[in-house]
Amino acid sequence: MANDKTAHWKDLLRKRLASAKQDGRTEEEKKAEETELFTKYYTEWKRGEKGEDDSFKHIPRFYYRLPAEDEVLLQKLREESRAVFLQRKSRELLDNEELQNLWFLLDKHQVPPTTSDEAMISYESFLKVGEKAGMFISRSLHPIRLFFTARVYAKLLHNDPYGRISIMQFFNYVMRKVWLHQTRIGLSLYDVAGQGYLRESDLENYILELIPTLPQLDGLEKSFYSFYVCTAVRKFFFFLDPLHTGKIKIQDILACSFLDDLLELRDEELSKESQESNWFSAPSALRVYGQYLNLDKDHNGMLSKEELSRYGTGTLTSVFLDRVYQECLTYDGEMDYKTYLDFVLALENRKEPAALQYIFKLLDMENKGSLNVFALNYFFRAIQEQMKIHGQEPVSFQDVKDEIFDMVKPKDPYKITLQDLVNSGQGDTVTSILIDLNGFWTYENREVLVANDTDSNTADLDDT
C-alpha cells in the first residue's frame, strides 16, 4: 500500500515538472497567480470550508485609523468634529437657572416629619419632581431623567425609618455629577490626541490657563508661572502615572482628589491651614521652590548629591542618596527641579503606594522585586554609622530586622515585597527606619514621645 502511494506522488511530481517546462509564462505572471491562489484559499479558510460563518459581513466597523501627521485635512476634520461634539455635550449640562429651579421643586415636595433639621423626600415625591423637572427643560435629550431613577434613590437611602432620602444630599449628588461632566468636557478640550488621556504638555496648558480663574493664586508673579505649573503637574504624574508612560487618563484625573484640591483655590476665604496643607496653593509651591533654591548653593539651577544631603533635617543616609542619583534622571550627576519634585513627593507622602514604589525601587538594589536581609542590613548599616558620628550607641541590626519583619508580616518570611509593604500599612515606618536617622530615632523613641505628648495634653487641661 505504501509503495502505491509513493508511486502516485512520483507520477504527480513528474507531471508537474513536465508542465513547468512547457509553461511559457514569465516569473512575474507565475508570482501573480500564486498570490491570487493564496488569497483565494486563505479567504475560504477564514470563512470556513463551506462558508458557514459569514457573520463578519454583518459586524459594524469599530476601528478607525488616526490621521497621519501629513494628512492635514483629515486632522482638521477630526479636530472640528471633536469640538462640535464637546460643544453639544456642554449644552446638555444643567445651567444655574435650571439647578435653582430644581432646588425649588425639591424643597416644595419635602415630606414630613423633619428629622435633624434636614428636609427629606419620599420616593413618590421624588418621581413627581423628576416629571416636573423635565417640563422646565426644553431640550428633549437632556439627561435630567437619569438623576431620577430607583438606582440613584437607593444609593442615597440610608437609615431613615420612613424610607426617605435627604434633599440636600440628592441636590449635592446632582451638582457633583454636573461638575464632573463639565470638568471632563473642559479637560477633553486639551486632549490633543483625542484618545481620552492628557500628556504632560496638555496638562501644563490646562493648568496655565486655569491660573487666572483661581483667586488664591492672584499674588503669583508671572515669572513664577512656569515653576508653579511644573510643581502642580508633577503631583498628577507622580501618583497617576506610576509606569511613566507620559500620559494620564482623564477618568483617573476626575476620580482622584487632586482636581478638587486645585479648584479649592477658587475660594477667596480659604484658611491659612488649608493653604499650607494643599500642594497646589501658592504658599506650598513657593515653599517647595524656595527649598530647592536654598539647597542650590552654587546657583547653577541643579542639585548635586552633596547639596541634596541637606534636605529636610539633613539626616538622610549617604547610601540612600547614592541610590537616588543612580536610579533617578540626572544631568551630569546633578538633579533638576522636576526630578527634585518627585523626590519631595515621595518623602512627604510615604504612606501612599506610589511613594512607597519610588522608595522601594531605590532600596531594591538587585532589581529582584523584594528586599532580603542583606538589603536591609546594607541600608541600616549607614544608620548605625550616623549614630556613631552623633555619639550614640548603635542599635543591633538583628533586633531591627526582627521588628521590621514583625511589622510587615510578609508572605515569604525571608523577603519583603512592595505589596507586602503596602498591605502592612507600615511602609512609611519601615522606609524611614532604613533611610533617615531622624526617622529611625523617632521610631526608636516613640514611647517616650507619646508619653511626652500625653503629659503636655494633661498640663493643658489642668491650665484650663
Side-chain angles (χ1 to χ4, degrees):
M1 192 71 176
N3 291 334
D4 292 342
K5 285 186 177 181
T6 304
H8 173 67
W9 282 109
K10 285 181 179 179
D11 293 339
L12 288 176
L13 184 58
R14 287 194 187 99
K15 290 178 181 178
R16 179 62 183 168
L17 290 173
S19 62
K21 290 178 182 178
Q22 297 173 0
D23 194 347
R25 293 179 300 170
T26 63
E27 288 296 324
E28 291 182 0
E29 291 173 336
K30 292 178 182 178
K31 285 183 179 179
E33 182 189 16
E34 183 179 340
T35 303
E36 183 182 348
L37 288 171
F38 172 78
T39 304
K40 174 186 174 184
Y41 295 135
Y42 179 75
T43 304
E44 288 179 357
W45 172 73
K46 289 288 286 184
R47 293 181 182 179
E49 290 183 4
K50 298 180 180 179
E52 295 174 345
D53 187 10
D54 290 335
S55 62
F56 71 92
K57 293 180 180 179
H58 309 292
I59 298 175
R61 182 177 178 183
F62 57 87
Y63 172 74
Y64 294 88
R65 179 182 63 85
L66 290 176
E69 291 183 4
D70 57 342
E71 295 175 325
V72 180
L73 187 60
L74 287 177
Q75 285 187 341
K76 288 292 182 183
L77 176 62
R78 190 165 185 272
E79 288 174 11
E80 288 298 320
S81 300
R82 286 188 65 248
V84 170
F85 171 75
L86 293 173
Q87 286 173 7
R88 192 181 75 219
K89 285 294 181 184
S90 182
R91 287 195 298 270
E92 288 179 2
L93 297 175
L94 290 171
D95 57 30
N96 290 333
E97 183 181 351
E98 290 166 339
L99 286 169
Q100 192 174 16
N101 289 335
L102 177 61
W103 172 255
F104 289 148
L105 276 174
L106 289 167
D107 188 55
K108 188 177 178 181
H109 286 78
Q110 61 177 291
V111 176
T114 304
T115 55
S116 305
D117 298 327
E118 193 170 9
M120 310 293 283
I121 189 170
S122 66
Y123 186 62
E124 292 79 7
S125 298
F126 176 77
L127 294 178
K128 287 179 183 177
V129 172
E131 291 176 6
K132 291 182 179 180
M135 294 171 65
F136 66 76
I137 304 293
S138 58
R139 292 158 280 166
S140 60
L141 295 179
H142 195 279
I144 186 70
R145 64 188 184 282
L146 299 179
F147 296 128
F148 293 90
T149 63
R151 184 186 295 272
V152 172
Y153 191 90
K155 272 184 184 177
L156 302 174
L157 182 62
H158 297 301
N159 297 321
D160 183 71
Y162 303 99
R164 303 166 304 172
I165 64 171
S166 164
I167 288 177
M168 180 59 73
Q169 286 185 9
F170 172 70
F171 188 71
N172 287 338
Y173 172 83
V174 174
M175 291 279 286
R176 177 70 178 174
K177 284 289 186 181
V178 171
W179 179 83
L180 281 172
H181 287 301
Q182 191 176 34
T183 307
R184 178 164 189 166
I185 291 168
L187 288 169
S188 297
L189 292 172
Y190 294 85
D191 176 13
V192 177
Q195 294 292 290
Y197 60 78
L198 296 183
R199 301 168 302 176
E200 195 165 345
S201 58
D202 300 332
L203 194 55
E204 286 174 352
N205 292 332
Y206 173 74
I207 293 178
L208 183 61
E209 294 184 18
L210 194 65
I211 290 176
T213 69
L214 305 174
Q216 288 295 338
L217 301 181
D218 286 346
L220 285 182
E221 296 181 7
K222 288 192 175 180
S223 58
F224 185 68
Y225 277 12
S226 60
F227 294 102
Y228 175 82
V229 169
C230 180
T231 305
V233 168
R234 279 325 299 164
K235 181 160 188 176
F236 283 94
F237 274 85
F238 181 82
F239 288 102
L240 302 181
D241 184 29
L243 299 179
H244 306 290
T245 60
K247 57 189 180 183
I248 306 174
K249 287 182 179 179
I250 292 176
Q251 285 183 337
D252 292 342
I253 296 175
L254 293 171
C256 74
S257 63
F258 301 156
L259 211 53
D260 291 332
D261 295 339
L262 182 60
L263 298 178
E264 186 182 41
L265 303 179
R266 289 176 174 170
D267 185 359
E268 296 182 8
E269 299 179 358
L270 194 63
S271 66
K272 186 178 179 181
E273 292 76 14
S274 297
Q275 290 188 52
E276 289 176 353
S277 62
N278 189 333
W279 174 266
F280 302 102
S281 70
S284 177
L286 291 168
R287 171 185 65 84
V288 175
Y289 187 64
Q291 289 174 347
Y292 183 80
L293 293 180
N294 290 333
L295 292 173
D296 183 20
K297 290 299 180 183
D298 58 7
H299 305 294
N300 69 342
M302 310 282 276
L303 297 182
S304 64
K305 178 193 163 188
E306 183 181 351
E307 290 171 331
L308 187 64
S309 66
R310 298 196 313 277
Y311 172 80
T313 56
T315 52
L316 291 172
T317 65
S318 59
V319 171
F320 174 68
L321 292 173
D322 284 340
R323 288 291 297 150
V324 171
Y325 279 80
Q326 287 170 8
E327 290 291 334
C328 298
L329 179 63
T330 57
Y331 302 87
D332 295 327
E334 294 199 317
M335 178 184 290
D336 69 347
Y337 184 56
K338 190 180 288 187
T339 307
Y340 173 76
L341 288 172
D342 286 346
F343 178 79
V344 172
L345 285 165
L347 295 188
E348 289 189 358
N349 301 275
R350 297 183 205 184
K351 289 182 179 292
E352 299 297 326
L356 287 176
Q357 180 181 349
Y358 177 97
I359 299 174
F360 187 88
K361 183 180 179 183
L362 302 177
L363 298 177
D364 183 15
M365 299 177 297
E366 299 178 346
N367 293 320
K368 289 184 175 179
S370 61
L371 303 178
N372 54 20
V373 175
F374 173 80
L376 299 180
N377 187 29
Y378 178 80
F379 284 97
F380 188 72
R381 199 182 306 146
I383 296 289
Q384 292 174 318
E385 291 172 0
Q386 280 197 355
M387 294 180 73
K388 290 178 183 177
I389 293 172
H390 288 83
Q392 300 176 8
E393 185 66 27
V395 178
S396 167
F397 168 70
Q398 289 299 325
D399 294 339
V400 173
K401 179 206 69 170
D402 292 341
E403 288 190 41
I404 288 176
F405 274 87
D406 286 343
M407 280 191 288
V408 177
K409 296 181 176 59
K411 288 184 178 180
D412 188 324
Y414 298 103
K415 61 185 180 182
I416 298 172
T417 64
L418 173 60
Q419 196 59 50
D420 291 330
L421 277 182
V422 174
N423 293 342
S424 70
Q426 301 290 333
D428 58 322
T429 303
V430 172
T431 53
S432 297
I433 289 172
L434 296 174
I435 68 175
D436 184 3
L437 176 61
N438 188 54
F440 171 73
W441 185 88
T442 301
Y443 171 74
E444 190 68 9
N445 296 276
R446 60 195 180 281
E447 294 178 359
V448 176
L449 294 174
V450 169
N452 290 340
D453 287 342
T454 304
D455 292 341
S456 63
N457 291 336
T458 304
D460 292 340
L461 290 172
D462 292 341
D463 292 340
T464 57

